[in-house]
Amino acid sequence: MGAAPRWLPRAGVLAALATATIAVPLAGAGQPAQSGSTTQAAVAALGYPTAMEVLASDVQQTTPTSLLAGVPGAERVSDTTSRSLTRDPLPGCDGQARESGQNGQIPSSDLCALWEPDQMLRGDAAVALSELNLNFRAAFGRDICLTDSYRSLAEQRRLAYTKPGLAASPGTSNHGWGLAIDLCTSENSKSDVMSWLSDNGPIFGWDNPQWARRGGSGAFEPWHWEYVPGTTEMGTNY
């Protein structure tokens, strides 16, 4: 006999695939073992992984935090959330801590602007807060509402005069180092928001300090949050 035509192997593969995808479903469960074997051989001939290889794969697919839809209530962000998913959480900020001034006298060029108008923080604190905010946005569908961040020395003096007992002595506030924020009343009045922040804030270095908590050594200020790595480094986490 002469050599088989060059198209014959391909025709055989196509016939096998046709049998598996058309004939077998129509015929029911007539010969499941034989059709399954034929199908695997055909798939292997085309260079694709078999069904068994796919099912046996130990590769796990996960959903990036950035793709999560907002939910009515917030859920705790996994401790294993990869920050590589948020490579540039605060455009224009390099995340560097620049301490080129005294408390309340830091040039705006050495601070990073946040999403709220006129709100700024030290670079590392700003980037960490922005990463936290991206996860907050995924959970609640909006940004964290802020009323205060960096405070100039003049602003510290004004608050010390108008709100005695609720403001640190001028020149000593962590706001003056760009390491503290105050939340809007709309945030600290909501139990689901505060519970979420209490769970997730520390993952990104932000926390409501012990002195500001109920029963703490200072005034009860659930709205006041500080960047712990920064205050620890400076020795101002009283």
mmCIF file of all heavy atoms in Angstrom, residues 33-59:
data_model
loop_
_atom_site.group_PDB
_atom_site.id
_atom_site.type_symbol
_atom_site.label_atom_id
_atom_site.label_comp_id
_atom_site.label_asym_id
_atom_site.label_seq_id
_atom_site.Cartn_x
_atom_site.Cartn_y
_atom_site.Cartn_z
ATOM 1 N N ALA A 33 -16.361 5.172 28.419
ATOM 2 C CA ALA A 33 -14.934 4.923 28.601
ATOM 3 C C ALA A 33 -14.180 5.119 27.302
ATOM 4 O O ALA A 33 -13.151 5.767 27.244
ATOM 5 C CB ALA A 33 -14.712 3.499 29.131
ATOM 6 N N GLN A 34 -14.709 4.553 26.204
ATOM 7 C CA GLN A 34 -14.019 4.632 24.927
ATOM 8 C C GLN A 34 -13.992 6.061 24.407
ATOM 9 O O GLN A 34 -12.972 6.548 23.948
ATOM 10 C CB GLN A 34 -14.732 3.723 23.914
ATOM 11 C CG GLN A 34 -14.018 3.713 22.539
ATOM 12 C CD GLN A 34 -14.687 2.761 21.574
ATOM 13 O OE1 GLN A 34 -15.614 2.042 21.954
ATOM 14 N NE2 GLN A 34 -14.224 2.724 20.352
ATOM 15 N N SER A 35 -15.135 6.785 24.503
ATOM 16 C CA SER A 35 -15.176 8.155 23.997
ATOM 17 C C SER A 35 -14.274 9.051 24.818
ATOM 18 O O SER A 35 -13.618 9.940 24.300
ATOM 19 C CB SER A 35 -16.609 8.687 24.023
ATOM 20 O OG SER A 35 -17.106 8.728 25.346
ATOM 21 N N GLY A 36 -14.221 8.837 26.160
ATOM 22 C CA GLY A 36 -13.360 9.642 27.007
ATOM 23 C C GLY A 36 -11.914 9.438 26.636
ATOM 24 O O GLY A 36 -11.135 10.379 26.560
ATOM 25 N N SER A 37 -11.512 8.207 26.394
ATOM 26 C CA SER A 37 -10.128 7.914 26.028
ATOM 27 C C SER A 37 -9.769 8.548 24.704
ATOM 28 O O SER A 37 -8.692 9.114 24.523
ATOM 29 C CB SER A 37 -9.933 6.392 25.959
ATOM 30 O OG SER A 37 -8.627 6.080 25.525
ATOM 31 N N THR A 38 -10.702 8.441 23.755
ATOM 32 C CA THR A 38 -10.462 9.023 22.437
ATOM 33 C C THR A 38 -10.323 10.534 22.523
ATOM 34 O O THR A 38 -9.473 11.147 21.884
ATOM 35 C CB THR A 38 -11.619 8.672 21.485
ATOM 36 O OG1 THR A 38 -11.757 7.255 21.428
ATOM 37 C CG2 THR A 38 -11.361 9.233 20.090
ATOM 38 N N THR A 39 -11.187 11.144 23.348
ATOM 39 C CA THR A 39 -11.140 12.603 23.510
ATOM 40 C C THR A 39 -9.808 13.048 24.079
ATOM 41 O O THR A 39 -9.197 14.006 23.609
ATOM 42 C CB THR A 39 -12.265 13.074 24.440
ATOM 43 O OG1 THR A 39 -13.511 12.669 23.895
ATOM 44 C CG2 THR A 39 -12.242 14.601 24.595
ATOM 45 N N GLN A 40 -9.312 12.367 25.119
ATOM 46 C CA GLN A 40 -8.044 12.745 25.736
ATOM 47 C C GLN A 40 -6.904 12.627 24.747
ATOM 48 O O GLN A 40 -6.012 13.467 24.705
ATOM 49 C CB GLN A 40 -7.775 11.871 26.965
ATOM 50 C CG GLN A 40 -8.724 12.158 28.128
ATOM 51 C CD GLN A 40 -8.342 11.385 29.357
ATOM 52 O OE1 GLN A 40 -7.211 10.899 29.460
ATOM 53 N NE2 GLN A 40 -9.263 11.261 30.282
ATOM 54 N N ALA A 41 -6.948 11.570 23.915
ATOM 55 C CA ALA A 41 -5.896 11.384 22.923
ATOM 56 C C ALA A 41 -5.924 12.516 21.900
ATOM 57 O O ALA A 41 -4.884 13.031 21.482
ATOM 58 C CB ALA A 41 -6.071 10.037 22.216
ATOM 59 N N ALA A 42 -7.143 12.921 21.518
ATOM 60 C CA ALA A 42 -7.276 13.995 20.536
ATOM 61 C C ALA A 42 -6.788 15.318 21.100
ATOM 62 O O ALA A 42 -6.093 16.087 20.445
ATOM 63 C CB ALA A 42 -8.734 14.116 20.100
ATOM 64 N N VAL A 43 -7.159 15.607 22.345
ATOM 65 C CA VAL A 43 -6.742 16.859 22.980
ATOM 66 C C VAL A 43 -5.237 16.902 23.132
ATOM 67 O O VAL A 43 -4.589 17.914 22.887
ATOM 68 C CB VAL A 43 -7.429 17.023 24.349
ATOM 69 C CG1 VAL A 43 -6.819 18.186 25.120
ATOM 70 C CG2 VAL A 43 -8.921 17.236 24.167
ATOM 71 N N ALA A 44 -4.648 15.745 23.527
ATOM 72 C CA ALA A 44 -3.192 15.680 23.673
ATOM 73 C C ALA A 44 -2.504 15.910 22.342
ATOM 74 O O ALA A 44 -1.456 16.552 22.260
ATOM 75 C CB ALA A 44 -2.787 14.325 24.251
ATOM 76 N N ALA A 45 -3.094 15.380 21.266
ATOM 77 C CA ALA A 45 -2.504 15.548 19.945
ATOM 78 C C ALA A 45 -2.477 17.008 19.524
ATOM 79 O O ALA A 45 -1.604 17.449 18.786
ATOM 80 C CB ALA A 45 -3.293 14.727 18.917
ATOM 81 N N LEU A 46 -3.433 17.790 20.005
ATOM 82 C CA LEU A 46 -3.477 19.204 19.664
ATOM 83 C C LEU A 46 -2.599 20.050 20.571
ATOM 84 O O LEU A 46 -2.463 21.261 20.382
ATOM 85 C CB LEU A 46 -4.923 19.728 19.748
ATOM 86 C CG LEU A 46 -5.873 19.186 18.678
ATOM 87 C CD1 LEU A 46 -7.287 19.665 18.961
ATOM 88 C CD2 LEU A 46 -5.418 19.610 17.293
ATOM 89 N N GLY A 47 -2.007 19.462 21.597
ATOM 90 C CA GLY A 47 -1.105 20.195 22.468
ATOM 91 C C GLY A 47 -1.765 20.871 23.650
ATOM 92 O O GLY A 47 -1.127 21.644 24.354
ATOM 93 N N TYR A 48 -3.068 20.608 23.905
ATOM 94 C CA TYR A 48 -3.752 21.217 25.036
ATOM 95 C C TYR A 48 -3.688 20.285 26.249
ATOM 96 O O TYR A 48 -3.586 19.072 26.097
ATOM 97 C CB TYR A 48 -5.229 21.477 24.697
ATOM 98 C CG TYR A 48 -5.428 22.501 23.611
ATOM 99 C CD1 TYR A 48 -5.903 22.122 22.361
ATOM 100 C CD2 TYR A 48 -5.120 23.830 23.838
ATOM 101 C CE1 TYR A 48 -6.079 23.073 21.361
ATOM 102 C CE2 TYR A 48 -5.299 24.783 22.843
ATOM 103 C CZ TYR A 48 -5.775 24.398 21.616
ATOM 104 O OH TYR A 48 -5.954 25.324 20.626
ATOM 105 N N PRO A 49 -3.787 20.825 27.467
ATOM 106 C CA PRO A 49 -3.806 19.956 28.657
ATOM 107 C C PRO A 49 -5.111 19.173 28.708
ATOM 108 O O PRO A 49 -6.158 19.655 28.278
ATOM 109 C CB PRO A 49 -3.704 20.947 29.822
ATOM 110 C CG PRO A 49 -4.265 22.225 29.275
ATOM 111 C CD PRO A 49 -3.840 22.242 27.836
ATOM 112 N N THR A 50 -5.034 17.973 29.244
ATOM 113 C CA THR A 50 -6.242 17.164 29.377
ATOM 114 C C THR A 50 -7.058 17.658 30.546
ATOM 115 O O THR A 50 -6.587 18.421 31.393
ATOM 116 C CB THR A 50 -5.871 15.690 29.611
ATOM 117 O OG1 THR A 50 -5.202 15.591 30.871
ATOM 118 C CG2 THR A 50 -4.955 15.170 28.516
ATOM 119 N N ALA A 51 -8.310 17.194 30.626
ATOM 120 C CA ALA A 51 -9.174 17.591 31.729
ATOM 121 C C ALA A 51 -8.578 17.166 33.065
ATOM 122 O O ALA A 51 -8.648 17.889 34.058
ATOM 123 C CB ALA A 51 -10.564 16.972 31.542
ATOM 124 N N MET A 52 -7.978 15.974 33.096
ATOM 125 C CA MET A 52 -7.387 15.485 34.341
ATOM 126 C C MET A 52 -6.221 16.372 34.770
ATOM 127 O O MET A 52 -6.035 16.670 35.949
ATOM 128 C CB MET A 52 -6.919 14.034 34.193
ATOM 129 C CG MET A 52 -6.323 13.447 35.476
ATOM 130 S SD MET A 52 -6.218 11.653 35.443
ATOM 131 C CE MET A 52 -7.946 11.216 35.415
ATOM 132 N N GLU A 53 -5.427 16.830 33.790
ATOM 133 C CA GLU A 53 -4.298 17.706 34.116
ATOM 134 C C GLU A 53 -4.783 19.035 34.674
ATOM 135 O O GLU A 53 -4.194 19.591 35.598
ATOM 136 C CB GLU A 53 -3.442 17.931 32.861
ATOM 137 C CG GLU A 53 -2.651 16.702 32.443
ATOM 138 C CD GLU A 53 -1.958 16.908 31.099
ATOM 139 O OE1 GLU A 53 -2.410 17.757 30.306
ATOM 140 O OE2 GLU A 53 -0.958 16.216 30.858
ATOM 141 N N VAL A 54 -5.873 19.544 34.127
ATOM 142 C CA VAL A 54 -6.431 20.797 34.624
ATOM 143 C C VAL A 54 -6.937 20.643 36.040
ATOM 144 O O VAL A 54 -6.680 21.457 36.922
ATOM 145 C CB VAL A 54 -7.565 21.291 33.698
ATOM 146 C CG1 VAL A 54 -8.263 22.510 34.327
ATOM 147 C CG2 VAL A 54 -7.013 21.652 32.333
ATOM 148 N N LEU A 55 -7.688 19.561 36.290
ATOM 149 C CA LEU A 55 -8.255 19.330 37.617
ATOM 150 C C LEU A 55 -7.187 19.046 38.653
ATOM 151 O O LEU A 55 -7.344 19.349 39.832
ATOM 152 C CB LEU A 55 -9.258 18.164 37.565
ATOM 153 C CG LEU A 55 -10.517 18.419 36.741
ATOM 154 C CD1 LEU A 55 -11.356 17.142 36.664
ATOM 155 C CD2 LEU A 55 -11.329 19.552 37.344
ATOM 156 N N ALA A 56 -6.077 18.430 38.214
ATOM 157 C CA ALA A 56 -5.013 18.072 39.153
ATOM 158 C C ALA A 56 -4.075 19.229 39.433
ATOM 159 O O ALA A 56 -3.247 19.162 40.327
ATOM 160 C CB ALA A 56 -4.204 16.886 38.596
ATOM 161 N N SER A 57 -4.223 20.345 38.684
ATOM 162 C CA SER A 57 -3.321 21.481 38.871
ATOM 163 C C SER A 57 -3.506 22.081 40.243
ATOM 164 O O SER A 57 -4.621 22.196 40.757
ATOM 165 C CB SER A 57 -3.606 22.542 37.804
ATOM 166 O OG SER A 57 -2.862 23.703 38.063
ATOM 167 N N ASP A 58 -2.389 22.458 40.887
ATOM 168 C CA ASP A 58 -2.459 23.068 42.213
ATOM 169 C C ASP A 58 -2.392 24.584 42.150
ATOM 170 O O ASP A 58 -2.231 25.269 43.154
ATOM 171 C CB ASP A 58 -1.331 22.558 43.120
ATOM 172 C CG ASP A 58 0.056 22.848 42.528
ATOM 173 O OD1 ASP A 58 0.116 23.406 41.426
ATOM 174 O OD2 ASP A 58 1.052 22.504 43.191
ATOM 175 N N VAL A 59 -2.533 25.175 40.951
ATOM 176 C CA VAL A 59 -2.520 26.621 40.808
ATOM 177 C C VAL A 59 -3.840 27.177 41.313
ATOM 178 O O VAL A 59 -4.912 26.739 40.900
ATOM 179 C CB VAL A 59 -2.318 27.033 39.331
ATOM 180 C CG1 VAL A 59 -2.410 28.550 39.203
ATOM 181 C CG2 VAL A 59 -0.989 26.515 38.828
#
